[in-house]
PDB file of all heavy atoms in Angstrom:
ATOM      1  N   THR B 105    -124.641 -45.887 163.552  1.00  0.00           N
ATOM      2  CA  THR B 105    -124.572 -47.337 163.734  1.00  0.00           C
ATOM      3  C   THR B 105    -125.124 -47.737 165.099  1.00  0.00           C
ATOM      4  O   THR B 105    -125.482 -46.890 165.915  1.00  0.00           O
ATOM      5  CB  THR B 105    -123.112 -47.806 163.641  1.00  0.00           C
ATOM      6  OG1 THR B 105    -122.360 -47.148 164.651  1.00  0.00           O
ATOM      7  CG2 THR B 105    -122.524 -47.472 162.292  1.00  0.00           C
ATOM      8  N   ILE B 107    -123.801 -49.125 167.848  1.00  0.00           N
ATOM      9  CA  ILE B 107    -123.144 -48.715 169.091  1.00  0.00           C
ATOM     10  C   ILE B 107    -123.283 -47.223 169.308  1.00  0.00           C
ATOM     11  O   ILE B 107    -123.468 -46.748 170.429  1.00  0.00           O
ATOM     12  CB  ILE B 107    -121.665 -49.141 169.121  1.00  0.00           C
ATOM     13  CG1 ILE B 107    -121.103 -48.897 170.509  1.00  0.00           C
ATOM     14  CG2 ILE B 107    -120.858 -48.421 168.068  1.00  0.00           C
ATOM     15  CD1 ILE B 107    -119.787 -49.549 170.749  1.00  0.00           C
ATOM     16  N   ARG B 108    -123.242 -46.462 168.234  1.00  0.00           N
ATOM     17  CA  ARG B 108    -123.417 -45.015 168.357  1.00  0.00           C
ATOM     18  C   ARG B 108    -124.804 -44.690 168.874  1.00  0.00           C
ATOM     19  O   ARG B 108    -124.985 -43.799 169.705  1.00  0.00           O
ATOM     20  CB  ARG B 108    -123.191 -44.354 166.998  1.00  0.00           C
ATOM     21  CG  ARG B 108    -121.745 -44.415 166.560  1.00  0.00           C
ATOM     22  CD  ARG B 108    -121.569 -44.044 165.110  1.00  0.00           C
ATOM     23  NE  ARG B 108    -120.158 -44.007 164.732  1.00  0.00           N
ATOM     24  CZ  ARG B 108    -119.720 -43.817 163.502  1.00  0.00           C
ATOM     25  NH1 ARG B 108    -120.585 -43.669 162.502  1.00  0.00           N
ATOM     26  NH2 ARG B 108    -118.431 -43.795 163.248  1.00  0.00           N
ATOM     27  N   MET B 141    -112.596 -47.824 174.234  1.00  0.00           N
ATOM     28  CA  MET B 141    -112.400 -47.229 172.923  1.00  0.00           C
ATOM     29  C   MET B 141    -113.706 -47.083 172.160  1.00  0.00           C
ATOM     30  O   MET B 141    -113.934 -46.083 171.479  1.00  0.00           O
ATOM     31  CB  MET B 141    -111.458 -48.089 172.081  1.00  0.00           C
ATOM     32  CG  MET B 141    -110.001 -47.790 172.220  1.00  0.00           C
ATOM     33  SD  MET B 141    -109.575 -46.055 172.043  1.00  0.00           S
ATOM     34  CE  MET B 141    -110.265 -45.661 170.438  1.00  0.00           C
ATOM     35  N   ARG B 145    -115.008 -43.583 170.852  1.00  0.00           N
ATOM     36  CA  ARG B 145    -115.170 -43.354 169.413  1.00  0.00           C
ATOM     37  C   ARG B 145    -116.598 -42.924 169.087  1.00  0.00           C
ATOM     38  O   ARG B 145    -116.822 -42.021 168.273  1.00  0.00           O
ATOM     39  CB  ARG B 145    -114.773 -44.602 168.641  1.00  0.00           C
ATOM     40  CG  ARG B 145    -113.250 -44.773 168.599  1.00  0.00           C
ATOM     41  CD  ARG B 145    -112.795 -45.725 167.518  1.00  0.00           C
ATOM     42  NE  ARG B 145    -112.930 -47.113 167.915  1.00  0.00           N
ATOM     43  CZ  ARG B 145    -111.929 -48.013 167.875  1.00  0.00           C
ATOM     44  NH1 ARG B 145    -110.722 -47.651 167.492  1.00  0.00           N
ATOM     45  NH2 ARG B 145    -112.147 -49.245 168.221  1.00  0.00           N
TER      46      ARG B 145
ATOM     47  P    DA D  95    -117.487 -44.054 159.614  1.00  0.00           P
ATOM     48  OP1  DA D  95    -118.848 -43.510 159.638  1.00  0.00           O
ATOM     49  OP2  DA D  95    -116.337 -43.236 160.034  1.00  0.00           O
ATOM     50  O5'  DA D  95    -117.471 -45.407 160.456  1.00  0.00           O
ATOM     51  C5'  DA D  95    -118.408 -46.424 160.137  1.00  0.00           C
ATOM     52  C4'  DA D  95    -118.106 -47.653 160.948  1.00  0.00           C
ATOM     53  O4'  DA D  95    -116.859 -48.222 160.525  1.00  0.00           O
ATOM     54  C3'  DA D  95    -117.964 -47.410 162.458  1.00  0.00           C
ATOM     55  O3'  DA D  95    -119.033 -48.079 163.105  1.00  0.00           O
ATOM     56  C2'  DA D  95    -116.580 -47.960 162.810  1.00  0.00           C
ATOM     57  C1'  DA D  95    -116.269 -48.868 161.620  1.00  0.00           C
ATOM     58  N9   DA D  95    -114.857 -49.012 161.314  1.00  0.00           N
ATOM     59  C8   DA D  95    -113.967 -48.020 160.983  1.00  0.00           C
ATOM     60  N7   DA D  95    -112.749 -48.447 160.733  1.00  0.00           N
ATOM     61  C5   DA D  95    -112.850 -49.815 160.919  1.00  0.00           C
ATOM     62  C6   DA D  95    -111.893 -50.846 160.809  1.00  0.00           C
ATOM     63  N6   DA D  95    -110.617 -50.638 160.472  1.00  0.00           N
ATOM     64  N1   DA D  95    -112.303 -52.105 161.053  1.00  0.00           N
ATOM     65  C2   DA D  95    -113.596 -52.312 161.392  1.00  0.00           C
ATOM     66  N3   DA D  95    -114.582 -51.422 161.518  1.00  0.00           N
ATOM     67  C4   DA D  95    -114.135 -50.185 161.272  1.00  0.00           C
ATOM     68  P    DT D  96    -119.095 -48.171 164.649  1.00  0.00           P
ATOM     69  OP1  DT D  96    -120.493 -48.465 164.986  1.00  0.00           O
ATOM     70  OP2  DT D  96    -118.400 -47.005 165.210  1.00  0.00           O
ATOM     71  O5'  DT D  96    -118.233 -49.470 164.987  1.00  0.00           O
ATOM     72  C5'  DT D  96    -118.647 -50.712 164.475  1.00  0.00           C
ATOM     73  C4'  DT D  96    -117.667 -51.786 164.907  1.00  0.00           C
ATOM     74  O4'  DT D  96    -116.368 -51.498 164.350  1.00  0.00           O
ATOM     75  C3'  DT D  96    -117.458 -51.868 166.422  1.00  0.00           C
ATOM     76  O3'  DT D  96    -117.847 -53.165 166.829  1.00  0.00           O
ATOM     77  C2'  DT D  96    -115.991 -51.568 166.634  1.00  0.00           C
ATOM     78  C1'  DT D  96    -115.406 -51.924 165.270  1.00  0.00           C
ATOM     79  N1   DT D  96    -114.148 -51.232 164.913  1.00  0.00           N
ATOM     80  C2   DT D  96    -113.037 -51.989 164.627  1.00  0.00           C
ATOM     81  O2   DT D  96    -113.037 -53.211 164.666  1.00  0.00           O
ATOM     82  N3   DT D  96    -111.919 -51.271 164.300  1.00  0.00           N
ATOM     83  C4   DT D  96    -111.804 -49.897 164.224  1.00  0.00           C
ATOM     84  O4   DT D  96    -110.746 -49.366 163.909  1.00  0.00           O
ATOM     85  C5   DT D  96    -113.004 -49.162 164.529  1.00  0.00           C
ATOM     86  C7   DT D  96    -112.982 -47.669 164.480  1.00  0.00           C
ATOM     87  C6   DT D  96    -114.101 -49.855 164.862  1.00  0.00           C
ATOM     88  P    DG D  97    -117.650 -53.619 168.299  1.00  0.00           P
ATOM     89  OP1  DG D  97    -118.695 -54.626 168.592  1.00  0.00           O
ATOM     90  OP2  DG D  97    -117.485 -52.436 169.163  1.00  0.00           O
ATOM     91  O5'  DG D  97    -116.239 -54.374 168.218  1.00  0.00           O
ATOM     92  C5'  DG D  97    -116.111 -55.491 167.344  1.00  0.00           C
ATOM     93  C4'  DG D  97    -114.785 -56.210 167.593  1.00  0.00           C
ATOM     94  O4'  DG D  97    -113.698 -55.398 167.103  1.00  0.00           O
ATOM     95  C3'  DG D  97    -114.477 -56.500 169.065  1.00  0.00           C
ATOM     96  O3'  DG D  97    -113.936 -57.815 169.118  1.00  0.00           O
ATOM     97  C2'  DG D  97    -113.446 -55.434 169.436  1.00  0.00           C
ATOM     98  C1'  DG D  97    -112.715 -55.230 168.110  1.00  0.00           C
ATOM     99  N9   DG D  97    -112.139 -53.913 167.890  1.00  0.00           N
ATOM    100  C8   DG D  97    -112.793 -52.705 167.885  1.00  0.00           C
ATOM    101  N7   DG D  97    -112.015 -51.690 167.617  1.00  0.00           N
ATOM    102  C5   DG D  97    -110.773 -52.259 167.429  1.00  0.00           C
ATOM    103  C6   DG D  97    -109.532 -51.653 167.110  1.00  0.00           C
ATOM    104  O6   DG D  97    -109.289 -50.461 166.925  1.00  0.00           O
ATOM    105  N1   DG D  97    -108.506 -52.591 167.018  1.00  0.00           N
ATOM    106  C2   DG D  97    -108.660 -53.947 167.205  1.00  0.00           C
ATOM    107  N2   DG D  97    -107.575 -54.693 167.079  1.00  0.00           N
ATOM    108  N3   DG D  97    -109.817 -54.523 167.492  1.00  0.00           N
ATOM    109  C4   DG D  97    -110.825 -53.625 167.592  1.00  0.00           C
ATOM    110  P    DT D  98    -113.673 -58.554 170.454  1.00  0.00           P
ATOM    111  OP1  DT D  98    -113.677 -60.006 170.206  1.00  0.00           O
ATOM    112  OP2  DT D  98    -114.566 -57.962 171.470  1.00  0.00           O
ATOM    113  O5'  DT D  98    -112.169 -58.121 170.776  1.00  0.00           O
ATOM    114  C5'  DT D  98    -111.166 -58.332 169.787  1.00  0.00           C
ATOM    115  C4'  DT D  98    -109.797 -58.031 170.364  1.00  0.00           C
ATOM    116  O4'  DT D  98    -109.409 -56.676 170.025  1.00  0.00           O
ATOM    117  C3'  DT D  98    -109.692 -58.140 171.882  1.00  0.00           C
ATOM    118  O3'  DT D  98    -108.598 -58.980 172.164  1.00  0.00           O
ATOM    119  C2'  DT D  98    -109.481 -56.712 172.357  1.00  0.00           C
ATOM    120  C1'  DT D  98    -108.811 -56.075 171.145  1.00  0.00           C
ATOM    121  N1   DT D  98    -108.993 -54.615 170.964  1.00  0.00           N
ATOM    122  C2   DT D  98    -107.902 -53.864 170.552  1.00  0.00           C
ATOM    123  O2   DT D  98    -106.807 -54.344 170.336  1.00  0.00           O
ATOM    124  N3   DT D  98    -108.161 -52.541 170.384  1.00  0.00           N
ATOM    125  C4   DT D  98    -109.373 -51.887 170.586  1.00  0.00           C
ATOM    126  O4   DT D  98    -109.482 -50.676 170.391  1.00  0.00           O
ATOM    127  C5   DT D  98    -110.458 -52.732 171.018  1.00  0.00           C
ATOM    128  C7   DT D  98    -111.802 -52.125 171.269  1.00  0.00           C
ATOM    129  C6   DT D  98    -110.222 -54.038 171.183  1.00  0.00           C
ATOM    130  P    DT D  99    -108.355 -59.522 173.642  1.00  0.00           P
ATOM    131  OP1  DT D  99    -108.041 -60.942 173.545  1.00  0.00           O
ATOM    132  OP2  DT D  99    -109.437 -59.033 174.539  1.00  0.00           O
ATOM    133  O5'  DT D  99    -107.020 -58.732 174.009  1.00  0.00           O
ATOM    134  C5'  DT D  99    -105.968 -58.685 173.049  1.00  0.00           C
ATOM    135  C4'  DT D  99    -104.946 -57.665 173.499  1.00  0.00           C
ATOM    136  O4'  DT D  99    -105.361 -56.338 173.097  1.00  0.00           O
ATOM    137  C3'  DT D  99    -104.739 -57.605 175.015  1.00  0.00           C
ATOM    138  O3'  DT D  99    -103.368 -57.846 175.268  1.00  0.00           O
ATOM    139  C2'  DT D  99    -105.177 -56.197 175.415  1.00  0.00           C
ATOM    140  C1'  DT D  99    -105.001 -55.428 174.114  1.00  0.00           C
ATOM    141  N1   DT D  99    -105.866 -54.245 173.971  1.00  0.00           N
ATOM    142  C2   DT D  99    -105.327 -53.096 173.414  1.00  0.00           C
ATOM    143  O2   DT D  99    -104.186 -53.019 173.029  1.00  0.00           O
ATOM    144  N3   DT D  99    -106.200 -52.048 173.321  1.00  0.00           N
ATOM    145  C4   DT D  99    -107.512 -52.014 173.723  1.00  0.00           C
ATOM    146  O4   DT D  99    -108.189 -51.005 173.587  1.00  0.00           O
ATOM    147  C5   DT D  99    -108.015 -53.250 174.298  1.00  0.00           C
ATOM    148  C7   DT D  99    -109.431 -53.316 174.773  1.00  0.00           C
ATOM    149  C6   DT D  99    -107.174 -54.293 174.389  1.00  0.00           C
TER     150       DT D  99
END
Side-chain angles (χ1 to χ4, degrees):
Chain B
T105 59
I107 189 167
R108 291 167 176 174
M141 272 310 304
R145 285 198 280 234

